[in-house]
Amino acid sequence: PIAITLPAPPPKPPEAPPVRLVLSRQEAAAALGISARTLDSLTAAGSLPHAKIGSRVAYPVSALVNWLSARTVQARPGDPDSDSTDSPG
């Protein structure tokens, strides 16, 4: 009899980590580049989107992205603080 050797199946790719839907207080503050104290103030004032999960306060990633996008101010052409490649002359 003739032995037939089949090739080994390709290795499975590593599983991607689960997508995080919410951030903790420290993670949200770090992601926004603000202190946890400022995050607490914005949360208490109702200015920052958040969710209560039991007794825990969580910050939905999508809501934080939308919140930040709504507050993003576009630089005007010729503004000295813009990221323009024009060099001062």
Side-chain angles (χ1 to χ4, degrees):
I2 299 176
I4 298 176
T5 306
L6 297 175
K12 287 185 177 180
E15 285 190 32
V19 174
R20 297 280 308 270
L21 299 177
V22 296
L23 300 177
S24 69
R25 174 181 178 259
Q26 293 295 333
E27 292 168 330
L32 292 170
I34 60 175
S35 70
R37 186 181 214 166
T38 299
L39 183 91
D40 292 342
S41 295
L42 291 169
T43 302
S47 300
L48 191 65
H50 60 283
K52 292 279 283 186
I53 302 174
S55 61
R56 185 175 158 237
V57 176
Y59 297 87
V61 173
S62 61
L64 292 178
V65 168
N66 291 338
W67 180 84
L68 189 59
S69 293
R71 281 152 185 77
T72 301
V73 178
Q74 298 298 320
R76 294 182 303 248
D79 187 336
D81 291 331
S82 70
D83 288 298
S84 172
T85 57
D86 296 336
S87 57

